Amino acid sequence: MATNLALDPELVERALEVSGERTKKAAVTKALHEFIARRRQKRLLELMGKLECDESFDYKRERSRK
């Protein structure tokens, strides 16, 4: 999908430098992947302390083949 974006040229240059990518497209794509991954991690961290653990659950027994 072709999209025209007005990006801050200084940010794009910095992204190229720190990412090690050779093209603007690759640098922006990498930045978007990392942005999405960080947001997903943040949502997982927000669940910390909100989920109950079953102390009797034996994960080793559950993954063994029967």
Side-chain angles (χ1 to χ4, degrees), residues 21-38:
E21 297 294 341
R22 295 168 61 183
T23 66
K24 292 176 184 177
K25 178 183 177 181
V28 170
T29 299
K30 182 179 246 181
L32 287 171
H33 282 288
E34 290 183 15
F35 174 81
I36 292 165
R38 286 182 184 268

Side-chain angles (χ1 to χ4, degrees), residues 41-51:
Q41 289 172 354
K42 183 179 177 187
R43 282 189 292 198
L44 285 175
L45 287 174
E46 290 170 354
L47 290 175
M48 294 291 284
K50 294 182 180 178
L51 300 175

